[in-house]
Amino acid sequence: MGTALSTLVAWAGSKLRSSKTGILGAICCFALIAIAITTLSRIGLGLWQLERVSAVDGWSHLLFQGLRVDLATVCWIWGVAALGSVIFSGDHAIGRGWKMVLRVWLTLGLYLLVFLEISTPSFIQEYGLRPNRLYIEYLIYPKEVLSMLWAGRKLELLFGLVIGGLTLWGGWKLTGALLRNIRYPKWNWRPVIALLVIVATFAGARSSLGHRPLNPAMVAFADDPLVNSLVINSTYSLFFAISQMESEDSAAKVYGKLDKQLVIDTIRKESGRPLSAFESDNLPSVTYNRASYQGKPKNLVILLQESLGARFVGSLGGLPLTPNIDKLAEQGWLFENLYATGTRSVRGIEAVTTGFTPTPARSVVKLGKSQTNFFTIAELLKRHGYETQFIYGGESHFDNMKSFFLGNGFSDIVDEKDYQNPTFIGSWGVSDEDLLERAHQEFEQLHKEGKPFFSLVFSSSNHDPFEFPDDRIELYEQPKQSRNNAAKYADYAIGEFFKMAKSSDYWKDTVFLVVADHDSRVGGADLVPISRFRIPGLILGDGVAASRDSRVVSQIDMAPTLLSLIGISDSYPMLGRDLTQAPQDWPGRALMQYDKNMAYMRGKDVVILQPDREPTGFEYDFSNGNMVHKDQSAEMKQTALSWALWGSMAYQQHLYQFPKQGDKS
């Protein structure tokens, strides 16, 4: 790409040095170059994903609708620059100043397009889609992101820097050649030209005569979200996602509206609780929940495992990477069909610690209105006299975890700076064995002091670039730093921890949950790749009977179940099921958010919500992870939409909190 750009610069310079062009000629030239780049990138990505593109007969749609998006993109990037050129250009001080502004504008616009297209393959490998808002969100963590890229993607990073540098150099040279001899429009023609530019820019950017302007849903055509994302270019994808972040608080803007009372009535029914249990009109999801265990309240430890999908767990039919978890699964309550609510760590944290339902917005861990006075089981247990803590091997400010936790019931945070002489430090902090040894020490001390405790322990070794100590495991494959080897090391650390825990004094007084935050690199050809949301969940502890639970359950069911197992009866707004009291023949349900798509699964029946589209019905085959189209009832679709709308409503209207005195209706 850099060589081609250099050749183009030389050619353009030789052609333009002695000729005069209109002021809009430079912008048109850059627009054509940009469209050529995005088109070639789209073709390359399509060839890379040839099997998936061909499976939906997508080439014609990819190219023609892609061109439509590219035209809209250049109108957004340079339309205002074109209008400014008509107004300000000329052989005078303002005109000369504008020429410099225009050169910078054109060059940076081209750089942005090129850089985002270059980084797209790596982003697709990691997240299964073109760059979206995650691309921006993680830029605020340069240490973690750059160390991860340097450790795992050196060639891609260096290639991007080289091509980016050549683009800046070539773009600057080309603007100099294009703007050297300019023919300025006469002043009496400028209003007419300005009006034409406004009309052309508006029409091109809007790219539609309908009620709504162009958006990704308008050019989506397949059940495969990756192929749909290939239709748009990465610049459009990124900036559309950013624009949606301003209004992401409302799922109704994404999926459609329902009457508020209908939403409340539906989610109350779905909770499995009798309607008489709902205590408040002001906080419509609050119920009093009596624990199934009525003895002395126990401690609670949640071991949240980074990226450990079911496909890595032998006892769930995955790769033979988890001998320790597999052995522990014979001693505890194993969930065979547990599904994550999302694809990011903060979504898993949200579900496991707050029981909150997923939305198309960011996790409440990162949203402003939930930084204080938002329900968490940490706050509930703190009110019952528990010590509450978050133990992490990296920097706890990452993903806004520290702020959210301290504002909502966690009293103590242990992170990377608190480890003395750790065995191993990687890009994401200390190793899992350092993390779990420190957790064990914390639990021993708290138990010795006679303090009941709740601790969320969050691992990080099983994360790109997959760094962990040598000589701990027999490697599953070469090279060492691979996803499978890291998963096996994470299992090793879990095994070592439970050896210590079982011989400790706190063992008999503690309930443990080993659960993943999400699977690794979730992606697939389905609107929501349900099989990639399946994760391990294992409850262990003295008095927890060994069993394998085949019901469909969600991460939002974990917190109510755990509170019941440790003997905490109280009122709270969580709508997840206490699985100790749910009927064994209950088919189960799960909620899964995949970018802007949401799946509601009840047993094997599935409804998927998409932005600006009608709900789509499917049937899920648990044996092979495939979905086939199936008409679903109006009730199923209404229920799916109610779950989607509830989260946004509860967040926006401050409905997800502890009941206050006098709050009962």
Side-chain angles (χ1 to χ4, degrees), residues 389-664:
Q389 60 181 181
F390 172 54
I391 305 178
Y392 185 49
E395 296 181 348
S396 58
H397 68 82
F398 187 79
D399 265 347
N400 201 54
M401 293 185 294
K402 183 176 183 179
S403 175
F404 177 80
F405 288 146
L406 290 178
N408 291 297
F410 286 83
S411 299
D412 179 36
I413 290 183
V414 176
D415 68 2
E416 185 175 357
K417 68 181 184 301
D418 299 311
Y419 292 81
Q420 300 295 324
N421 302 315
T423 301
F424 182 86
I425 301 177
S427 300
W428 289 92
V430 304
S431 68
D432 283 5
E433 63 190 84
D434 290 303
L435 168 78
L436 291 169
E437 183 177 351
R438 176 60 184 265
H440 170 67
Q441 293 170 2
E442 292 283 329
F443 304 157
E444 283 195 315
Q445 182 63 33
L446 289 169
H447 183 78
K448 183 178 180 180
E449 295 171 1
K451 297 177 180 178
F453 57 86
F454 161 56
S455 184
L456 174 67
V457 185
F458 186 22
S459 74
S460 58
S461 294
N462 186 24
H463 195 299
D464 197 354
F466 310 116
E467 300 164 306
F468 56 90
D470 292 327
D471 303 321
R472 296 301 193 272
I473 61 170
E474 181 180 345
L475 297 180
Y476 178 76
E477 61 192 4
Q478 291 290 343
K480 175 194 171 188
Q481 286 182 231
S482 74
R483 191 173 304 275
N484 289 333
N485 286 334
K488 191 171 183 181
Y489 170 73
D491 173 77
Y492 161 82
I494 286 287
E496 293 301 299
F497 168 77
F498 275 103
K499 289 177 185 176
M500 295 184 290
K502 287 182 177 182
S503 63
S504 72
D505 291 334
Y506 64 78
W507 169 258
K508 67 181 185 302
D509 298 320
T510 307
V511 171
F512 302 83
L513 170 67
V514 181
V515 65
D517 55 355
H518 56 83
D519 193 1
S520 176
R521 287 188 176 178
V522 176
D526 294 320
L527 291 173
V528 176
I530 288 176
S531 65
R532 298 295 294 277
F533 280 74
R534 184 169 169 246
I535 58 172
L538 174 63
I539 297 177
L540 293 157
D542 187 59
V544 177
S547 64
R548 293 179 72 99
D549 194 328
S550 62
R551 294 173 294 182
V552 171
V553 296
S554 170
Q555 278 177 321
I556 68 169
D557 300 316
M558 294 297 100
T561 302
L562 292 169
L563 292 177
S564 186
L565 285 170
I566 66 174
I568 298 295
S569 301
D570 207 337
S571 296
Y572 53 69
M574 295 187 292
L575 291 164
R577 295 285 188 109
D578 173 1
L579 298 172
T580 68
Q581 302 185 41
Q584 288 301 311
D585 60 353
W586 176 54
R589 60 86 196 91
L591 310 169
M592 291 160 270
Q593 190 75 40
Y594 184 56
D595 194 37
K596 292 296 184 182
N597 294 347
M598 177 179 163
Y600 166 65
M601 181 163 69
R602 180 194 294 167
K604 62 182 179 180
D605 292 324
V606 178
V607 168
I608 293 180
L609 305 177
Q610 303 174 72
D612 303 317
R613 292 197 166 199
E614 291 296 315
T616 308
F618 297 89
E619 183 174 284
Y620 183 68
D621 188 334
F622 290 91
S623 65
N624 56 28
N626 294 334
M627 289 198 299
V628 295
H629 281 277
K630 175 187 175 182
D631 289 337
Q632 294 292 349
S633 67
E635 181 271 334
M636 271 283 291
K637 294 176 181 178
Q638 178 186 293
T639 301
L641 182 56
S642 296
W643 276 117
L645 297 181
W646 163 249
S648 291
M649 180 193 304
Y651 169 77
Q652 277 296 91
Q653 299 179 23
H654 300 283
L655 305 180
Y656 206 76
Q657 54 182 274
F658 286 93
K660 299 179 178 63
Q661 286 289 336
D663 196 36
K664 294 184 180 182

